[in-house]
Amino acid sequence: MSSQKKCLVLGFLAFLWAELGTEGKDKKEEQTCQLLGKFDLNGYVDAKNHSLVIGGLFPIHSRTIPANESILEPVSAKCEGFNFRGFRWMKTMIHTIQEINERRDILPNITLGYQIFDNCFTISKSVEAALVFLTGQEENKPNFRNSTGALLAGIVGAGGSSLSVAASRILGLYYLPQVGYASTCSILSDKYQFPSYLRTIASDKIQSEAMVKLIQHFGWVWIGTIAADDDYGKYGVKIFKEEMESVNLCIAFSEIIPKVYSNEKMQKAVHAIKNSTARVIVLYASDIDLSPFVLEMVYHNITDRTWIASEAWITSALIAKPEYFPYFGGSIGFAIPRADIPGLKEFLYDIHPNKDPNDVLTIEFWQTAFNCTWPNSSVPYNTDHRVNMTGREDRFHAVSDKFCTGEEKLEGLKNTYLDVSQLRITNNVKQAVYSMAYALDRLSRCEEGRGPYIPGNTCAYIPDFEPWQLMFYLKTLKFTAHNGRRIEIDENGDVTGYYDILNWQLDDNGEVAFVKVGEYIFTHSKFELVINKNETIFWNTESAELPHSVCTDLCPPGTRKGIRQGEPICCFDCIPCADGHVSRESGQRECAQCGEDYWSNAQKSECVLKEVEFLAYDEALGFTLAILSLLGALVVLAVTAVYVIYRHTPLVSANNLALSFLTQLSLVITLLSSLLFIGKPHNWSCMACQVTLALGFSLCLSCILGKTISLFLAYRISKSKTRLTSIHPLYQKIIVVVSVLVEIGICTAYLVLEPPRVYKNMESQNIKIILECREGSIELLCLMFGIDVFLALLCFLTTFVARQLTDNYYEGKCITFGMLVFFIVWISFVPAYLSTKGKFKVAVEIFAILASSYGLLGCIFAPKCFIILLRPQRNTDEIVSGRVPTTDKSIQLTSASVSSKLNNTTVSSVLHD
């Protein structure tokens, strides 16, 4: 067991024995436990002629000398490694107490003394000092009075978080107030464990939240952490990790800097930094603990890293040296607000060993600052008993050959002690002392009967008060500091305020400058990160640009994150979005589905309107079908013109001119109806195309039916031995009218009850919207075209029966072939229509309409036009009327002539036996 641990154990045993005591039979023979040795504590005491004493704990040294293992007796460790920064903090406390004593508005007629100890930045020395505060060192029980007998009001300190935790666990047992100035560990806010601890610096919980917001601001997601092996580092990183997880950011690695140098642990941390893809690293450590780590970074030449600094080292002159700038330049972190302290600079310069030959700390300061040895002094020179911090060789500083003359000038020094340009924690020391003073002032002004203590609203009095009574005032303390900042301590002993965000840059003189680039405001109602300008920040990267710290680069637009099993969420695969889904921004976790009218582009980064497909006029297929439709209509009109011109010829006049014209009109309607199928569908066009087509075919087929019935009767007459009458022309027209009226009725019901509508077909193709006409009532549609099929079937049957009728121009056969073409076209249309999609489906229907219309036109009217125009010698009354010799085989009776003759007879239709 080391001497430090032995000293600590013995101190606690003495303390416990002092409490418990031993009772014997004779009280005069009562025995008590006495300390076997004194604690080796250095500091400053000014307690005489003062009403109250405020204790102080400061890291004036940075470490203790390793114990000699051969010595078995408990020995209090000695300290080494003079810390200019801690020395300045201690001097600030003395300066503040003197300032308060000179004021008349605070603690009038009451003066404050001080008892300050050096805790050497170690837990053991902090515990020793805490025990001395409680016991007076020579006494065996706590009496809250120092060796001069003045009342101990409270403690300011003890520097680092681990030191405050250790001291507060002892001081808190007696509820002795302790106000910290540099301890930020979040556990100190737990009033169950540390009931008497308060501080003038923000908790690490606030700082960790601020760090995460800073990381989010710069878009970093893959962060490493390095922490000191103490309460400050471990609790700081713990809260930081929790905050990172809450916003889905990731920790690449988390390593520890050993408090006692260990090459194995240090190399493990170095290895993690070198091999990680994380380029941004959070450092939670004090500047003293960080020194060995900095040397390792220099030795391994690790650059191109951006360090996020905690408040414990961001402004430390121990680290912020020009020789370290290539490795730690560009560091960005949070600092306690800077302040100016009037009169402090002059007070710091008012120091000299000649003023007090027994002031060992001032002598050591002088020796260290000027690298000399003070004559006739037992104070050791700045020795270093440690193994070299890089673990490679022993080094010792012997006594300097140069003696101090006392004429050395402080004005020529450049060290942390005299640097008052960055008074941050130093200002917190001043506020901590003032917190104690203001609380004591409020306690002293209490009026009996109006006091805060119950029952009876009593007051406490100086100098005879209990520690818990002063704690009441400290917990409700509010005051305005010298720089105008409002100090409010909440129920957890924490304060609100803001952080300065500093960036390490080189000034014109080649020195490290702490450039303020923003701030983080934290109050009861506001938490806000403010970055002045990103351009003002220096980044220590090869490109001098914002560092890129990710496990996996952000997935580009068009892809999404795919989780890697067993790895942090920041490490992922980029998976392309599915069809119809997009990710518009980088780093999307999920792809968003496009709306029904939209589809993803080729890159899957945007939703674009789906291509709307329909048979348009401006494409080759639609244009061709439209030309064929118009051409067919023109041909029908040409036939009509021929009929009109030759209407007085026997062939035209003998063929029921009215039915012929109606047939030609219906063919024009059916041919032109195909134009309604082309172009962008609308509700009106969907209704018009089907109805027009059905009525056109109904008119056409009913006219043909009138003719075929005449041929059928002519055939029956020619074969019958009895006298039969032919159909009257009026009946032919009645057939047409009835057929058309029936069709009109069905079409009207179709349009009224369930008409066709435009339909966006998105099922056939995902990338297209097929605009088509939804049929509406299938039953009425089938009935509507069923009438046309029925008329066509009657036409076919009647002409098929009369196909052998003597006919010079084969009219019966032509109509039969016309009906065959009609049926073949529409029978073929059904499977073709059902097997196609989109615009080709419409094209198939138009093709069927044109084919059937051209078939009827060619079969019925082409032979007659051929005779009329090219064989006019056959267009005579004799041939048409059938008055030709039977021996002339080239000229036979036409069905038209037969029909004409039959129509002129008046024979009764009654059959005779």
Side-chain angles (χ1 to χ4, degrees):
M1 181 182 293
S2 67
S3 61
Q4 294 181 18
K5 294 181 179 178
K6 293 176 182 177
C7 177
L8 180 60
V9 171
L10 289 175
F12 271 106
L13 288 175
F15 181 73
L16 292 175
W17 276 107
E19 283 291 289
L20 297 175
T22 57
E23 294 184 0
K25 295 182 180 179
D26 188 356
K27 291 185 179 180
K28 291 183 180 181
E29 297 179 358
E30 180 181 0
Q31 296 180 355
T32 59
C33 180
Q34 299 289 333
L35 290 174
L36 296 180
K38 292 184 179 181
F39 294 135
D40 187 359
L41 294 173
N42 291 319
Y44 292 91
V45 177
D46 180 16
K48 295 180 179 180
N49 303 319
H50 293 294
S51 308
L52 299 170
V53 169
I54 297 178
L57 288 173
F58 294 93
I60 302 173
H61 288 86
S62 59
R63 58 189 175 272
T64 56
I65 298 175
N68 188 345
E69 299 294 340
S70 62
I71 301 176
L72 302 178
E73 292 79 6
V75 177
S76 181
K78 295 184 180 297
C79 302
E80 66 178 8
F82 195 84
N83 182 10
F84 290 109
R85 198 181 187 197
F87 193 55
R88 178 179 8 110
W89 295 347
M90 182 271 298
K91 285 287 189 178
T92 302
M93 177 177 175
I94 297 175
H95 174 262
T96 305
I97 289 178
Q98 291 179 2
E99 179 182 294
I100 293 171
N101 287 336
E102 293 173 359
R103 295 179 60 168
R104 293 294 176 260
D105 57 331
I106 302 177
L107 296 174
N109 303 319
I110 297 174
T111 60
L112 299 177
Y114 53 83
Q115 186 175 21
I116 301 174
F117 291 119
D118 175 17
N119 59 26
C120 303
F121 202 69
T122 57
I123 293 177
S124 61
K125 285 295 180 181
S126 297
V127 172
E128 288 180 12
L131 291 173
V132 170
F133 281 132
L134 292 175
T135 65
Q137 188 170 359
E138 297 296 339
E139 301 178 17
N140 53 31
K141 60 181 179 180
N143 60 6
F144 311 114
R145 296 179 184 273
N146 65 7
S147 58
T148 61
L151 179 67
L152 182 65
I155 309 296
V156 172
S161 294
S162 295
L163 312 181
S164 292
V165 167
S168 186
R169 291 197 184 277
I170 298 174
L171 301 174
L173 295 173
Y174 296 92
Y175 220 59
L176 185 65
Q178 181 183 357
V179 182
Y181 54 86
S183 303
T184 60
C185 184
S186 59
I187 195 176
L188 289 167
S189 298
D190 185 353
K191 295 301 103 178
Y192 181 79
Q193 297 188 59
F194 309 97
S196 63
Y197 185 84
L198 309 98
R199 51 188 161 188
T200 56
I201 189 171
S203 166
D204 279 336
K205 177 174 176 55
I206 300 297
Q207 183 172 207
S208 295
E209 292 173 355
M211 284 181 174
V212 172
K213 288 185 181 293
L214 183 75
I215 289 168
Q216 287 181 299
H217 174 81
F218 291 116
W220 301 321
V221 297
W222 190 234
I223 310 297
T225 65
I226 300 291
D229 191 13
D230 56 16
D231 292 326
Y232 173 70
K234 291 179 178 178
Y235 280 102
V237 166
K238 175 180 178 292
I239 296 176
F240 175 75
K241 289 180 179 179
E242 292 172 354
E243 295 294 332
M244 289 280 285
E245 291 176 1
S246 67
V247 293
N248 295 323
L249 299 180
C250 302
I251 301 297
F253 61 87
S254 185
E255 297 296 336
I256 295 295
I257 299 175
K259 295 286 285 186
V260 178
Y261 186 85
S262 166
N263 187 59
E264 180 183 355
K265 293 181 180 179
M266 191 66 77
Q267 296 310 313
K268 181 182 178 184
V270 172
H271 181 77
I273 295 170
K274 291 177 66 175
N275 292 279
S276 175
T277 57
R279 289 296 178 266
V280 178
I281 304 171
V282 170
L283 258 177
Y284 252 111
S286 67
D287 55 349
I288 296 174
D289 289 332
L290 203 55
S291 296
F293 177 77
V294 171
L295 293 178
E296 290 290 345
M297 293 296 103
V298 175
Y299 178 79
H300 289 277
N301 193 29
I302 297 178
T303 59
D304 196 28
R305 300 295 190 277
T306 297
W307 305 92
I308 298 180
S310 64
E311 97 298 332
W313 68 273
I314 185 64
T315 58
S316 172
L318 186 64
I319 308 299
K321 297 179 180 180
E323 57 266 31
Y324 299 153
F325 191 81
Y327 312 95
F328 286 85
S331 295
I332 188 169
F334 299 88
I336 300 157
R338 176 188 170 278
D340 293 321
I341 301 178
L344 179 61
K345 182 176 182 180
E346 293 76 13
F347 183 80
L348 294 177
Y349 274 89
D350 186 20
I351 182 175
H352 199 282
N354 286 332
K355 289 187 176 183
D356 184 0
N358 296 321
D359 187 352
V360 295
L361 294 179
T362 299
I363 294 175
E364 188 173 359
F365 161 78
W366 203 269
Q367 290 184 157
T368 307
F370 294 106
N371 193 24
C372 61
T373 302
W374 190 258
N376 302 320
S377 173
S378 60
V379 177
Y381 184 71
N382 186 27
T383 56
D384 189 345
H385 291 79
R386 298 173 300 168
V387 174
N388 186 356
M389 287 183 286
T390 59
R392 281 169 282 278
E393 63 179 5
D394 292 336
R395 69 177 182 184
F396 300 90
H397 292 283
V399 177
S400 175
D401 295 333
K402 175 184 175 183
F403 284 95
C404 303
T405 64
E407 301 297 327
E408 292 84 3
K409 300 296 183 183
L410 291 173
E411 291 77 6
L413 286 178
K414 288 185 178 180
N415 62 25
T416 309
Y417 171 74
L418 297 173
D419 183 7
V420 294
S421 63
Q422 297 288 333
L423 299 181
R424 298 178 186 275
I425 294 181
T426 303
N427 186 55
N428 278 0
V429 173
K430 184 180 181 72
Q431 292 175 355
V433 177
Y434 263 100
S435 297
M436 198 76 70
Y438 275 112
L440 289 169
D441 183 66
R442 288 183 59 195
L443 183 145
S444 67
R445 297 177 186 273
C446 177
E447 296 180 9
E448 193 62 38
R450 297 183 180 180
Y453 314 117
I454 53 176
N457 297 111
T458 58
C459 293
Y461 301 98
I462 294 178
D464 189 16
F465 63 87
E466 297 293 330
W468 63 267
Q469 293 174 318
L470 180 60
M471 277 300 301
F472 172 83
Y473 291 99
L474 282 169
K475 282 191 171 183
T476 58
L477 185 63
K478 296 180 182 179
F479 68 94
T480 301
H482 69 281
N483 59 351
R485 181 187 172 191
R486 186 68 176 168
I487 306 297
E488 296 183 12
I489 299 180
D490 63 18
E491 59 183 6
N492 293 323
D494 294 323
V495 294
T496 58
Y498 66 94
Y499 285 115
D500 286 340
I501 301 176
L502 303 183
N503 178 230
W504 282 17
Q505 303 180 16
L506 281 181
D507 60 16
D508 297 335
N509 298 321
E511 298 293 331
V512 177
F514 308 125
V515 179
K516 182 177 178 180
V517 295
E519 61 183 14
Y520 181 75
I521 303 170
F522 55 96
T523 62
H524 294 298
S525 59
K526 183 180 182 181
F527 295 87
E528 181 182 10
L529 178 74
V530 179
I531 301 294
N532 298 336
K533 286 184 179 179
N534 290 348
E535 295 79 9
T536 62
I537 301 175
F538 170 75
W539 301 112
N540 193 24
T541 59
E542 294 180 359
S543 62
E545 298 292 334
L546 179 71
H548 188 61
S549 186
V550 297
C551 177
T552 305
D553 286 326
L554 284 178
C555 293
T559 61
R560 65 176 179 85
K561 293 181 180 179
I563 297 174
R564 293 180 184 173
Q565 294 295 331
E567 295 189 31
I569 60 173
C570 299
C571 302
F572 46 81
D573 297 314
C574 295
I575 302 174
C577 293
D579 291 337
H581 294 72
V582 298
S583 60
R584 296 179 177 85
E585 299 177 357
S586 300
Q588 294 292 307
R589 295 182 61 84
E590 298 292 341
C591 297
Q593 186 174 4
C594 295
E596 63 175 10
D597 291 344
Y598 293 84
W599 194 250
S600 54
N601 59 2
Q603 295 76 25
K604 308 294 179 62
S605 60
E606 291 291 338
C607 289
V608 295
L609 280 170
K610 289 182 179 179
E611 179 185 349
V612 179
E613 182 181 273
F614 55 87
L615 187 61
Y617 286 102
D618 58 356
E619 58 180 305
L621 182 60
F623 179 77
T624 302
L625 293 176
I627 293 298
L628 291 175
S629 176
L630 293 173
L631 181 63
L634 291 175
V635 171
V636 175
L637 292 177
V639 171
T640 303
V642 170
Y643 267 61
V644 171
I645 294 171
Y646 295 96
R647 63 185 180 279
H648 300 298
T649 60
L651 185 59
V652 174
S653 60
N655 274 281
N656 198 327
L657 195 58
L659 290 182
S660 296
F661 283 140
L662 286 175
T663 303
Q664 293 162 11
L665 174 62
S666 66
L667 288 176
V668 171
I669 293 173
T670 54
L671 287 166
L672 294 180
S673 68
S674 61
L675 297 177
L676 296 173
F677 290 87
I678 305 174
K680 185 177 181 179
H682 299 280
N683 287 333
W684 66 266
S685 62
C686 288
M687 292 186 288
C689 64
Q690 299 292 352
V691 171
T692 304
L693 179 63
L695 290 175
F697 275 125
S698 177
L699 178 60
C700 177
L701 294 172
S702 61
C703 291
I704 295 174
L705 180 62
K707 289 188 175 187
T708 58
I709 289 177
S710 298
L711 292 175
F712 176 75
L713 291 177
Y715 176 77
R716 289 293 303 275
I717 291 172
S718 65
K719 295 296 181 180
S720 177
K721 296 180 180 180
T722 60
R723 300 179 63 187
L724 299 173
T725 60
S726 65
I727 187 170
H728 195 276
L730 178 61
Y731 295 151
Q732 292 178 325
K733 295 180 177 63
I734 291 173
I735 291 173
V736 173
V737 172
V738 171
S739 299
V740 173
L741 288 177
V742 171
E743 190 70 41
I744 290 174
I746 297 173
C747 290
T748 302
Y750 177 57
L751 295 178
V752 171
L753 297 178
E754 194 175 347
R757 288 283 185 267
V758 176
Y759 170 62
K760 293 181 179 180
N761 186 352
M762 304 179 188
E763 300 171 0
S764 300
Q765 298 186 50
N766 290 327
I767 62 174
K768 293 181 180 179
I769 298 176
I770 301 175
L771 281 182
E772 58 186 20
C773 294
R774 177 165 277 180
E775 291 80 2
S777 175
I778 300 297
E779 295 79 5
L780 291 175
L781 184 66
C782 292
L783 181 60
M784 190 167 62
F785 284 100
I787 296 297
D788 295 337
V789 174
F790 177 70
L791 293 174
L793 185 61
L794 289 178
C795 292
F796 175 74
L797 292 175
T798 53
T799 54
F800 181 78
V801 172
R803 70 187 184 282
Q804 296 179 349
L805 181 66
T806 302
D807 190 342
N808 291 337
Y809 303 110
Y810 307 104
E811 185 176 37
K813 293 180 181 179
C814 289
I815 293 176
T816 301
F817 280 114
M819 290 299 101
L820 283 175
V821 170
F822 185 86
F823 278 114
I824 290 171
V825 168
W826 287 100
I827 289 172
S828 302
F829 160 76
V830 173
Y833 183 80
L834 295 177
S835 61
T836 54
K837 297 177 181 179
K839 61 184 179 182
F840 299 104
K841 193 173 186 179
V842 179
V844 168
E845 188 171 1
I846 295 174
F847 180 79
I849 295 170
L850 295 178
S852 58
S853 299
Y854 273 105
L856 292 175
L857 177 63
C859 291
I860 296 175
F861 293 103
K864 293 183 174 63
C865 290
F866 177 79
I867 297 297
I868 294 171
L869 297 176
L870 301 179
R871 298 290 186 271
Q873 65 274 15
R874 294 187 181 184
N875 190 8
T876 62
D877 289 333
E878 290 78 9
I879 295 176
V880 171
S881 63
R883 296 192 301 272
V884 293
T886 56
T887 58
D888 189 356
K889 300 299 182 181
S890 62
I891 303 175
Q892 297 179 353
L893 295 175
T894 66
S895 59
S897 64
V898 174
S899 178
S900 176
K901 288 184 178 181
L902 291 175
N903 289 340
N904 292 329
T905 60
T906 56
V907 182
S908 173
S909 61
V910 179
L911 295 176
H912 299 281
D913 294 334

